Amino acid sequence: MQKVILNNGVEMPILGFGVYQVPDPAQCEQSVSDALEAGYRLIDTAAAYFNEEAVGAAIKKSGIPREELFITTKLWIQDAGYENAKKAFDVSLKKLGLDYLDLYLIHQPFNDYYGSWRAMEELYKEGRIRAIGVSNFYPDRLVDLILNNEVVPAVNQVETHPFFQQKVAKNVMEEYGVQIQSWGPFAEGQKNIFQNEILAVIGAKYGKSIAQVILRWHIQRGVVSIPKSVHKERIVENFNVWDFALSDDDMAAIATMDIRKSEIIDHFTADTAKMLNGWKIHE
Ligand code: NAP
């Protein structure tokens, strides 16, 4: 498994498994078990996915030594702020059945995330989290957070895929030593990505599927990705990407697919801020 080295020296697998929109506990547990069996070691969940317990159950059943795993969860907007973040961290850890986390992310740049970051800096220094980071922080918020705090986020998990390549945001992250991680590596299937002609032609050259071409493209850009699937054959397929490499011409062809905007969510609108702040995960 290829790894990236984060800005604090911690190693992170470049390919992992995500469990957003898998609220059914049995299905989530089975998918994570299938992923671990296929060889994935990075699992990405969040308090707001309502499946940390199922992820924890699969981890426990796997019998894989804890130090071989890289487990990420995320702090939700409702739990922002110094005190709340500390409590939410304990709740997540308990649900996962773990005594430390590999990566804890601020899920969204809303509410009192400065307070959250101070709590996370403390938890990190106490050794309860190996790396701390953020998600959906666009360049202005990311740089502001970095300039006004001690610990630089190790990771920023943002939407990125062939239709939204995030070249500017990626450059900013590189400048500040923040590892980019892709959510929605397949654009959540939008815009018929799994039928895309450019990707199909490239895949045919190597005997690889469109999904495998996309994941290879992320890897070769140095982007950590966490594809989600609830189908075992796809989970295995998505991990089978180590035996081929895209050429410079392939990378250049995929570069032309960038429409430089999201068709999933726009973080810069009032409606998005209102919608995400209204998403409650507990009483
Ligand atoms: P995604 O991974 O881009 O796409 C998932 C979709 O692709 C599902 O419909 C899945 O269907 C399908 N799929 C997977 N492998 C396939 C294959 N080989 N062939 C054809 N179809 C395939 O979308 P995502 O789940 O939104 O993103 C991945 C992870 O990123 C999430 O699970 C979550 O951990 C994280 N995430 C984070 C944020 C954030 O705000 N930080 C937001 C969204 C997601 P089946 O499941 O039916 O196979």
Side-chain angles (χ1 to χ4, degrees):
M1 159 62 76
Q2 200 175 316
K3 292 185 171 164
V4 296
I5 298 176
L6 303 179
N7 61 15
N8 63 354
V10 166
E11 290 190 344
M12 177 182 197
I14 200 161
L15 181 62
F17 185 70
V19 293
Y20 178 43
Q21 291 174 326
V22 196
D24 176 63
Q27 188 180 46
C28 180
E29 186 180 328
Q30 186 60 52
S31 305
V32 175
S33 294
D34 290 342
L36 293 172
E37 195 190 324
Y40 297 78
R41 291 297 177 263
L42 187 179
I43 308 294
D44 181 274
T45 183
Y49 300 169
F50 302 104
N51 56 20
E52 289 168 311
E53 278 144 328
V55 169
I59 291 170
K60 195 169 177 202
K61 270 194 196 155
S62 76
I64 296 170
R66 174 68 184 90
E67 64 276 12
E68 286 180 25
L69 299 170
F70 191 102
I71 309 301
T72 305
T73 193
K74 313 183 193 85
L75 175 73
W76 188 242
I77 299 168
Q78 190 184 357
D79 293 324
Y82 180 85
E83 297 289 341
N84 287 342
K86 287 220 165 166
K87 279 188 219 144
F89 171 77
D90 284 333
V91 171
S92 283
L93 212 57
K94 194 164 176 224
K95 286 186 176 170
L96 285 160
L98 301 176
D99 52 16
Y100 71 91
L101 264 188
D102 296 279
L103 180 65
Y104 198 36
L105 302 178
I106 295 180
H107 203 147
Q108 301 285 351
F110 297 120
N111 199 355
D112 178 16
Y113 58 81
Y114 274 83
S116 305
W117 192 250
R118 281 192 291 278
M120 288 164 63
E121 285 181 326
E122 284 183 14
L123 293 164
Y124 169 63
K125 286 179 189 166
E126 288 163 12
R128 301 187 69 203
I129 314 172
R130 295 177 66 227
I132 55 177
V134 295
S135 178
N136 299 302
F137 275 54
Y138 282 86
D140 56 336
R141 296 206 179 209
L142 178 70
V143 172
D144 184 64
L145 186 79
I146 291 170
L147 295 180
N148 292 296
N149 287 284
E150 193 188 332
V151 179
V152 175
V155 170
N156 186 13
Q157 184 182 114
V158 295
E159 179 189 348
T160 183
H161 44 73
F163 297 125
F164 189 27
Q165 302 189 8
Q166 298 270 25
K167 285 179 192 155
V168 173
K170 187 169 178 282
N171 285 341
V172 171
M173 289 184 229
E174 277 162 15
E175 184 184 339
Y176 287 89
V178 180
Q179 173 63 48
I180 181 170
Q181 181 174 31
S182 158
W183 69 254
F186 300 140
E188 297 186 345
Q190 288 200 347
K191 288 173 72 71
N192 287 328
I193 198 163
F194 294 114
Q195 281 79 45
N196 181 273
E197 189 57 26
I198 293 175
L199 299 172
V201 168
I202 295 172
K205 284 200 296 181
Y206 304 103
K208 291 287 180 181
S209 69
I210 285 179
Q212 290 167 325
V213 169
I214 297 170
L215 294 173
R216 196 64 225 175
W217 173 77
H218 284 295
I219 291 167
Q220 290 182 216
R221 295 182 89 210
V223 176
V224 175
S225 65
I226 42 172
K228 168 261 175 187
S229 177
V230 293
H231 295 98
K232 188 170 183 174
E233 66 283 5
R234 290 178 177 172
I235 292 171
V236 170
E237 172 189 330
N238 295 346
F239 199 69
N240 183 11
V241 293
W242 312 110
D243 58 351
F244 77 114
L246 302 177
S247 67
D248 291 347
D249 285 350
D250 300 332
M251 295 297 284
I254 300 173
T256 67
M257 292 172 62
D258 194 5
I259 61 167
R260 296 187 298 281
K261 66 181 174 70
S262 173
E263 295 203 337
I264 298 175
I265 187 168
D266 181 351
H267 271 86
F268 298 100
T269 68
D271 281 349
T272 296
K274 191 174 168 195
M275 182 270 288
L276 291 174
N277 271 284
W279 184 339
K280 302 297 178 199
I281 64 167
H282 54 73
E283 291 293 300

Coordinates of all heavy atoms in Angstrom, one line a residue, residues 18-20 44 49 74 107-108 135-136 157 183-188 194 211 226-231 234 237-238, ligand 1:
G18 N -14.7 4.9 2.3 CA -15.6 5.9 3.0 C -17.0 5.3 3.2 O -17.4 4.4 2.4
V19 N -17.6 5.7 4.2 CA -18.9 5.1 4.5 C -20.1 6.2 4.7 O -21.0 5.9 5.4 CB -18.9 4.2 5.8 CG1 -18.0 3.0 5.6 CG2 -18.4 5.0 7.0
Y20 N -20.0 7.2 3.9 CA -21.1 8.2 3.9 C -22.3 7.6 3.2 O -22.1 6.8 2.2 CB -20.6 9.5 3.1 CG -21.7 10.6 3.0 CD1 -22.5 10.9 4.0 CD2 -21.8 11.2 1.8 CE1 -23.4 12.0 3.9 CE2 -22.7 12.3 1.6 CZ -23.5 12.6 2.7 OH -24.4 13.6 2.5
D44 N -12.9 5.9 6.6 CA -13.4 7.3 6.9 C -14.8 7.3 7.2 O -15.7 7.0 6.4 CB -13.1 8.1 5.6 CG -13.5 9.5 5.7 OD1 -14.7 9.9 5.6 OD2 -12.7 10.3 6.1
Y49 N -22.5 10.6 10.1 CA -22.9 9.5 9.2 C -23.7 8.5 10.0 O -24.2 7.5 9.4 CB -21.7 8.8 8.6 CG -20.8 9.7 7.7 CD1 -19.6 9.2 7.3 CD2 -21.2 10.9 7.3 CE1 -18.8 10.0 6.5 CE2 -20.4 11.7 6.5 CZ -19.1 11.2 6.1 OH -18.3 12.0 5.3
K74 N -15.1 12.5 12.2 CA -15.2 14.0 12.0 C -16.2 14.6 13.0 O -17.2 13.9 13.4 CB -15.7 14.3 10.6 CG -15.0 13.6 9.5 CD -15.4 14.0 8.1 CE -14.9 13.1 7.0 NZ -15.7 11.9 6.8
H107 N -15.6 18.8 10.4 CA -16.3 18.3 9.2 C -16.6 19.5 8.3 O -16.6 19.4 7.1 CB -17.6 17.6 9.7 CG -18.1 16.7 8.7 ND1 -18.8 15.5 9.0 CD2 -18.2 16.7 7.3 CE1 -19.2 14.9 7.9 NE2 -18.8 15.6 6.9
Q108 N -17.0 20.6 8.9 CA -17.4 21.8 8.1 C -16.9 23.1 8.7 O -16.9 23.2 9.9 CB -19.0 21.9 8.0 CG -19.6 20.6 7.4 CD -19.5 20.5 5.9 OE1 -19.1 21.5 5.2 NE2 -19.9 19.4 5.3
S135 N -12.0 19.7 7.0 CA -12.7 19.2 5.8 C -13.6 20.4 5.3 O -14.2 21.1 6.1 CB -13.6 18.0 6.1 OG -14.3 17.6 5.0
N136 N -13.6 20.5 4.0 CA -14.4 21.5 3.3 C -13.9 23.0 3.6 O -14.7 23.9 3.6 CB -15.9 21.4 3.6 CG -16.4 20.1 3.2 OD1 -16.4 19.7 2.0 ND2 -16.9 19.3 4.1
Q157 N -9.9 17.6 3.8 CA -10.7 16.7 3.0 C -11.7 17.5 2.2 O -12.6 18.1 2.9 CB -11.4 15.6 3.8 CG -12.1 14.6 3.0 CD -12.9 13.6 3.9 OE1 -14.1 13.5 3.9 NE2 -12.1 12.7 4.6
W183 N -13.0 13.8 -1.0 CA -14.2 13.2 -0.8 C -15.0 13.2 -2.2 O -14.7 14.1 -3.0 CB -15.1 13.7 0.3 CG -15.7 15.1 0.2 CD1 -15.2 16.2 0.9 CD2 -16.9 15.6 -0.5 NE1 -16.0 17.3 0.7 CE2 -17.1 16.9 -0.2 CE3 -17.8 14.9 -1.3 CZ2 -18.1 17.7 -0.7 CZ3 -18.8 15.6 -1.8 CH2 -19.0 17.0 -1.5
G184 N -15.9 12.2 -2.4 CA -16.5 12.1 -3.7 C -15.5 11.9 -4.8 O -15.6 12.5 -5.9
P185 N -14.6 10.9 -4.6 CA -13.6 10.7 -5.7 C -14.2 10.4 -7.0 O -13.6 10.6 -8.1 CB -12.8 9.6 -5.1 CG -13.6 8.9 -4.1 CD -14.5 10.0 -3.5
F186 N -15.4 9.8 -7.0 CA -16.1 9.5 -8.3 C -17.2 10.5 -8.6 O -18.2 10.2 -9.3 CB -16.8 8.1 -8.2 CG -15.9 6.9 -7.9 CD1 -16.3 5.9 -7.0 CD2 -14.7 6.8 -8.5 CE1 -15.4 4.8 -6.8 CE2 -13.8 5.7 -8.3 CZ -14.2 4.7 -7.4
A187 N -17.2 11.7 -8.0 CA -18.2 12.7 -8.1 C -19.6 12.1 -7.7 O -20.6 12.5 -8.2 CB -18.3 13.2 -9.6
E188 N -19.5 11.2 -6.8 CA -20.7 10.5 -6.3 C -21.5 9.9 -7.5 O -22.8 9.8 -7.4 CB -21.6 11.4 -5.4 CG -20.8 11.8 -4.2 CD -21.6 12.6 -3.1 OE1 -22.7 13.1 -3.5 OE2 -21.2 12.7 -2.0
F194 N -19.3 7.2 -14.7 CA -19.0 5.8 -14.9 C -19.2 5.4 -16.4 O -18.9 4.3 -16.8 CB -19.7 4.9 -14.0 CG -19.3 5.0 -12.5 CD1 -20.2 5.5 -11.6 CD2 -18.0 4.7 -12.1 CE1 -19.8 5.7 -10.3 CE2 -17.6 4.9 -10.8 CZ -18.5 5.4 -9.9
A211 N -13.7 3.3 -12.8 CA -13.4 3.6 -11.4 C -11.9 3.5 -11.1 O -11.4 4.3 -10.4 CB -14.2 2.6 -10.5
I226 N -11.0 8.2 -0.8 CA -11.8 7.2 0.1 C -13.1 6.8 -0.6 O -14.2 7.1 -0.1 CB -12.0 7.9 1.4 CG1 -12.4 9.4 1.2 CG2 -10.8 7.8 2.4 CD1 -12.9 10.1 2.5
P227 N -13.0 6.1 -1.8 CA -14.2 5.7 -2.5 C -15.1 4.9 -1.6 O -14.7 4.1 -0.8 CB -13.7 4.9 -3.6 CG -12.3 4.4 -3.2 CD -11.8 5.5 -2.3
K228 N -16.4 5.1 -1.8 CA -17.4 4.3 -1.1 C -18.1 3.4 -2.0 O -18.4 3.7 -3.2 CB -18.5 5.3 -0.5 CG -19.7 4.7 0.1 CD -20.9 4.8 -0.9 CE -22.1 4.0 -0.4 NZ -23.2 3.9 -1.4
S229 N -18.4 2.2 -1.5 CA -19.3 1.2 -2.2 C -19.9 0.3 -1.2 O -19.2 0.0 -0.2 CB -18.6 0.5 -3.3 OG -19.5 -0.5 -3.9
V230 N -21.1 -0.2 -1.5 CA -21.7 -1.2 -0.6 C -21.7 -2.6 -1.3 O -22.3 -3.5 -0.9 CB -23.1 -0.8 -0.1 CG1 -23.0 0.4 0.8 CG2 -24.0 -0.6 -1.3
H231 N -21.0 -2.6 -2.5 CA -20.9 -3.9 -3.2 C -19.5 -4.5 -3.2 O -18.6 -3.8 -3.6 CB -21.3 -3.6 -4.7 CG -22.8 -3.2 -4.8 ND1 -23.1 -1.9 -5.0 CD2 -23.9 -3.9 -4.8 CE1 -24.5 -1.8 -5.0 NE2 -24.9 -3.0 -4.9
R234 N -17.2 -4.3 -6.2 CA -16.7 -2.9 -6.5 C -15.7 -2.5 -5.4 O -14.7 -1.9 -5.8 CB -17.8 -1.9 -6.4 CG -18.8 -2.0 -7.6 CD -19.9 -1.0 -7.5 NE -20.8 -1.0 -8.6 CZ -21.9 -0.3 -8.7 NH1 -22.3 0.4 -7.7 NH2 -22.7 -0.4 -9.8
E237 N -12.6 -4.2 -6.6 CA -12.2 -3.6 -7.9 C -11.5 -2.2 -7.6 O -10.4 -1.9 -8.1 CB -13.5 -3.3 -8.7 CG -13.2 -2.4 -10.0 CD -14.6 -2.1 -10.6 OE1 -15.6 -2.8 -10.5 OE2 -14.6 -1.0 -11.2
N238 N -12.1 -1.5 -6.6 CA -11.5 -0.1 -6.3 C -10.2 -0.2 -5.6 O -9.5 0.8 -5.6 CB -12.5 0.7 -5.5 CG -13.8 1.0 -6.2 OD1 -13.9 0.8 -7.4 ND2 -14.8 1.4 -5.5
Ligands
NAP1 P1 -18.0 8.5 -4.2 O1 -17.1 7.6 -3.5 O2 -17.5 9.5 -5.2 O3 -19.1 7.7 -5.0 C1 -19.8 6.7 -4.4 C2 -20.8 6.1 -5.5 O4 -20.1 5.4 -6.5 C3 -21.8 5.2 -4.9 O5 -23.0 5.4 -5.6 C4 -21.2 3.8 -5.3 O6 -22.3 2.8 -5.5 C5 -20.6 4.1 -6.7 N1 -19.4 3.2 -6.9 C6 -18.4 2.9 -6.1 N2 -17.5 2.1 -6.7 C7 -18.0 1.9 -8.0 C8 -17.5 1.1 -9.1 N3 -16.3 0.5 -9.0 N4 -18.3 1.1 -10.2 C9 -19.4 1.8 -10.3 N5 -19.9 2.5 -9.3 C10 -19.2 2.6 -8.1 O7 -18.9 9.3 -3.2 P2 -19.0 9.6 -1.6 O8 -19.4 8.3 -0.9 O9 -19.8 10.8 -1.4 O10 -17.5 9.9 -1.2 C11 -16.6 9.0 -0.7 C12 -16.4 9.2 0.8 O11 -15.9 10.5 1.1 C13 -17.7 9.1 1.7 O12 -18.1 7.8 1.8 C14 -17.2 9.8 2.9 O13 -16.4 8.9 3.7 C15 -16.4 10.9 2.4 N6 -17.3 12.2 2.2 C16 -16.9 13.3 3.0 C17 -17.6 14.4 2.8 C18 -17.2 15.6 3.6 O14 -17.9 16.6 3.7 N7 -16.1 15.6 4.3 C19 -18.7 14.5 1.9 C20 -19.0 13.4 1.2 C21 -18.3 12.2 1.3 P3 -22.5 1.6 -4.6 O15 -22.3 2.0 -3.1 O16 -23.9 1.2 -4.8 O17 -21.6 0.5 -5.1

